[in-house]
Amino acid sequence: MTAELVRGQNHTLPQTRLEIRVSAGAPVVAGATLGDERGTVHGVEWIAHPGSPQLPGLEVSRQAAAEHRLAVDLGALPETVHRVTVLLALPLEAGGPTRFGAVAAPFVAVTGLDGTEIATFTLTGLDSESAVAALELYRRQGAWKVRAVGQGYAGGLAAMLADQGVAGAAELARSIQEAVARGLARSVAPPPPRTSEGDRVRHAGGPAPAQGGGLPQAAQQPGPLDEPSAPATPVAPAVPSAGGPIDYAHPRRQATAPPPPPPAAPPAQPGQPATPVAGDATGWSMDERLYNQVWGMFEDLARATAAYRSAVDFAESRMDQELERALSDPRSRIGGTGDRAREQARAKRDELTGRAREALDRDLAQLAAEAAVVEPALPAAYAGWDNPVWHAYRVPMEIPMALRIGDLHLPESAGVKIPLLVRLPLERGMWIDSGRTASEAAALTDSDQLRRLAMESAVLHAARMLAVYPPNEFSVHVIDPAGSAAAALAPLVGAGVLAGPPASGPGGVSSVLAGLTRRVDLVQMAMRAGAADSLPPDLDPAEQLLIVNDFPHGFDDRAVTQLRYLADEGPSVGVHLMMVADREDASAYGPVLDPLWRSLLRVTPVADDHLADPWVGHAWTYEPLSTPPGSRVLEQVLDRVAAARRTGHR
């Protein structure tokens, strides 16, 4: 049965040799890009387009046409390829349409070699866009799936390629359009005519339900927020061969790409969920594989939930349309006819939403099984405080890729939590919001308790950073102008892991800010002059973290200016900011501090759904990490950090 997808929905592919058929209301350029696990395209040799139509496992059309057939052999793709994105663009021809809103909605079908449709997608809702990422084939735990994307770009082909990380996107887009204009080589045969009712051409209108009136079956695992994965090392660029076209090197023969995950479990059979395996992602090390796997789980949950919400919206819309048609005749509103129409429409809505929920529940069960396998295998930097790995903690000799700062979940899947990992060294500071938010947890907590929880959360974040850095390579400073955080700071002060006593009063605030500002200035000047070895001997070379409590108490205008300077310039030279503050307390400064708040990653001391995912429109609920009740794991870890700092050894 053909799966008729809506934007964001996905479907399992039962085979690896496929055709992608495109039908548009005007000539379009068809191409495809190959991406790694994060969707990054590592150069022109990862792009099939009319000027270079063939790649291993992929062939596209050589010219613009209203009908296209793209040949895909997923089994022949390089092992480093995890995504194939199908691109459509309007050619830059005189007199031709310049936006997809002026032509009929393109229709894309993924078919078997015999022409049997597996999944279809009608790209509705396009307007000023002249290029669009139509759909995506992606690999997850050995199984391939298709996802309806429909992401349009008003900036055209160049903007679309740049969004996928292609260097020189504008020049490449221009060369593709020039190749199309020259009418390279052969034309592509149109697909066979659609004659049966199931093969109708859908150039207009919204998405239709799958055959039989039901929604298409959701994938068992659909294929993350602010932090991208470390991209694989790009394949070396190809060189032109004498007298012929560019000889694109086969990525599988390169030794610079990250190795694939080990074959720890047999691949899943079509239609069956894969057996979860920890480290089932590409990467040079187990830590990198786990990092990529965690973000793959994030992406899976985002896609599964987006598909469910889209299906529910479709069911509601369909019910409204059926009721409107049934009750448009005044005669049907009298007697039992109207009641029966309402009952039938609502029954169909309930059936469709029930099927969508069943599909989501299958996806969530698979994700929960994967999380149950991955969580115990996480290293300390990625693990929660309740993970046994902390009881065997040893101070590391290298900085990890990332650090866990909390968990994420969605309303439909509160039982499936994804670790929120941020890359190290930190690329931006953190703001722990001690104010009252609109969340239920914040509403049940009084203001004084929120401030205390916010400072305790800051201490836990600082302790994790100290724990994952090698000895004496990370220093923590604290500004506590009124001394109100003494109880929360006790673990750090008692272990002796702070760079100095918490600064209090205006004098203490000024002294700490002046020292860190001087460090930023000196390091920046040394870097610009290429004289990093000429820094003063009293300059601490370690990464620096400044925790600021109770802002803006104790801060004059000069101190506020220095704080903004540290937030803007500090991360590039190893000085990071962690604000514990209620924005309302600083409202007297007006918009002057807006850049400061925007520059920081906002987290909360209690659960709050404030982290936005612009890709699929989700508002993720963030939950801070906490130590188990009665546990002394924090004190034990800080004692080992302090001992390593004293001796300089693990």
Side-chain angles (χ1 to χ4, degrees):
M1 183 171 61
T2 303
E4 298 187 13
L5 306 180
V6 296
R7 185 174 282 108
Q9 199 167 19
N10 44 37
H11 184 71
T12 303
L13 293 172
Q15 58 201 76
T16 58
R17 300 189 65 187
L18 307 164
E19 278 190 353
I20 299 174
R21 300 185 178 186
V22 179
S23 179
V28 295
V29 180
T33 61
L34 306 181
D36 60 16
E37 281 195 328
R38 311 307 309 156
T40 303
V41 180
H42 294 290
V44 295
E45 65 273 14
W46 286 42
I47 305 174
H49 55 82
S52 176
Q54 291 183 329
L55 293 178
L58 179 63
E59 182 176 3
V60 304
S61 307
R62 293 178 180 265
Q63 64 182 25
E67 308 281 345
H68 289 276
R69 283 184 180 180
L70 284 64
V72 181
D73 185 353
L74 299 174
L77 293 174
E79 294 178 357
T80 51
V81 173
H82 287 258
R83 298 190 188 182
V84 180
T85 304
V86 177
L87 314 176
L88 304 178
L90 293 172
L92 300 178
E93 58 181 357
T98 59
R99 61 187 184 91
F100 275 108
V103 300
F107 172 77
V108 184
V110 180
T111 74
L113 297 184
D114 59 355
T116 302
E117 288 186 348
I118 300 170
T120 63
F121 177 41
T122 303
L123 284 76
T124 58
L126 298 177
D127 186 12
S128 61
E129 299 89 344
S130 59
V132 60
L135 54 77
E136 174 185 82
L137 312 179
Y138 65 97
R139 176 163 49 190
R140 184 76 174 122
Q141 291 191 342
W144 282 93
K145 304 175 187 294
V146 57
R147 181 173 72 92
V149 180
Q151 175 64 55
Y153 295 84
L157 191 57
M160 181 164 53
L161 293 173
D163 191 43
Q164 297 192 39
V166 179
E171 292 77 7
L172 177 58
R174 186 163 48 250
S175 69
I176 293 174
Q177 294 287 6
E178 290 174 353
V180 172
R182 290 194 299 268
L184 289 179
R186 61 179 176 85
S187 61
V188 180
R194 299 170 178 264
T195 56
S196 66
E197 181 182 356
D199 287 336
R200 59 194 182 280
V201 177
R202 291 163 291 251
H203 285 310
Q211 295 177 12
L215 290 174
Q217 180 183 1
Q220 297 294 330
Q221 307 170 85
L225 191 59
D226 186 39
E227 297 293 329
S229 166
T233 305
V235 178
V239 295
S241 58
I246 294 178
D247 179 17
Y248 292 101
H250 197 299
R252 198 188 305 252
R253 297 174 186 160
Q254 300 297 324
T256 56
Q269 297 298 319
Q272 297 296 324
T275 302
V277 177
D280 186 18
T282 59
W284 288 107
S285 64
M286 188 61 173
D287 287 2
E288 184 177 358
R289 290 172 179 168
L290 288 168
Y291 175 88
N292 290 333
Q293 186 173 11
V294 166
W295 280 113
M297 293 165 60
F298 174 96
E299 191 174 45
D300 281 357
L301 183 55
R303 285 174 166 168
T305 306
Y308 170 72
R309 293 180 180 179
S310 178
V312 171
D313 290 343
F314 172 76
E316 293 286 349
S317 175
R318 174 174 176 155
M319 181 188 69
D320 293 341
Q321 293 173 6
E322 290 180 350
L323 287 175
E324 183 178 357
R325 286 195 300 267
L327 302 179
S328 59
D329 186 353
R331 292 172 297 180
S332 65
R333 303 174 190 172
I334 302 174
T337 304
D339 293 338
R340 286 194 297 272
R342 293 185 185 92
E343 291 175 1
Q344 291 173 357
R346 289 167 182 162
K348 176 58 70 175
R349 185 271 314 271
D350 294 342
E351 178 187 357
L352 296 179
T353 55
R355 293 183 184 179
R357 185 68 217 194
E358 289 176 2
L360 176 63
D361 289 341
R362 288 195 298 268
D363 294 337
L364 295 180
Q366 180 67 12
L367 276 172
E370 185 175 6
V373 172
V374 170
E375 189 72 39
L378 294 176
Y382 303 174
W385 286 110
D386 57 350
N387 193 308
V389 70
W390 285 107
H391 296 289
Y393 166 76
R394 298 182 65 190
V395 179
M397 298 304 294
E398 294 182 351
I399 302 173
M401 284 185 60
L403 180 72
R404 185 173 183 169
I405 63 170
D407 293 325
L408 299 172
H409 67 83
L410 292 168
E412 294 88 347
S413 55
V416 178
K417 298 181 180 181
I418 309 297
L420 175 56
L421 305 179
V422 296
R423 293 297 297 269
L424 292 179
L426 294 175
E427 298 176 355
R428 58 194 297 201
M430 296 176 62
W431 166 30
I432 303 175
D433 190 352
S434 60
R436 187 174 298 281
T437 63
S439 71
E440 180 180 356
L444 298 175
T445 310
D446 62 49
S447 298
D448 292 339
Q449 188 177 7
L450 279 175
R451 294 177 186 275
R452 177 181 59 80
L453 291 174
M455 196 59 201
E456 290 176 355
S457 181
V459 169
L460 289 176
H461 288 309
R464 292 178 72 87
M465 294 180 194
L466 285 165
V468 302
Y469 270 79
N472 299 311
E473 291 193 16
F474 194 84
S475 296
V476 178
H477 307 260
V478 177
I479 290 179
D480 184 22
S484 59
L489 290 169
L492 297 178
V493 175
V497 292
L498 294 178
S504 60
V509 172
S510 176
S511 175
V512 172
L513 291 176
L516 292 176
T517 301
R518 171 179 175 268
R519 184 188 188 283
V520 172
D521 290 338
L522 290 175
V523 175
Q524 284 186 336
M525 287 188 293
M527 291 174 61
R528 284 194 289 264
D533 55 348
S534 62
L535 289 169
D538 64 333
L539 189 77
D540 184 2
E543 297 271 320
Q544 309 289 313
L545 174 69
L546 172 60
I547 302 176
V548 178
N549 182 46
D550 207 16
F551 177 82
H553 181 80
F555 282 73
D556 55 21
D557 290 345
R558 176 180 174 81
V560 170
T561 301
Q562 289 176 317
L563 195 66
R564 289 184 54 188
Y565 177 74
L566 292 177
D568 293 339
E569 304 295 333
S572 63
V573 291
V575 176
H576 312 287
L577 190 60
M578 184 180 293
M579 298 279 292
V580 182
D582 180 357
R583 190 169 181 173
E584 290 298 320
D585 292 344
S587 59
Y589 287 93
V592 173
L593 291 181
D594 286 352
L596 172 64
W597 305 120
R598 287 196 298 266
S599 69
L600 304 174
L601 173 62
R602 175 176 173 254
V603 296
T604 53
V606 295
D608 188 80
D609 58 349
H610 67 278
L611 288 177
D613 180 358
W615 179 51
V616 289
H618 296 330
W620 290 82
T621 296
Y622 167 83
E623 289 191 8
L625 299 175
S626 60
T627 55
S631 171
R632 290 189 51 80
V633 62
L634 176 62
E635 290 77 8
Q636 293 170 359
V637 168
L638 289 177
D639 287 344
R640 295 179 186 177
V641 170
R645 290 164 68 91
R646 288 192 297 269
T647 63
H649 301 288
R650 301 172 64 193

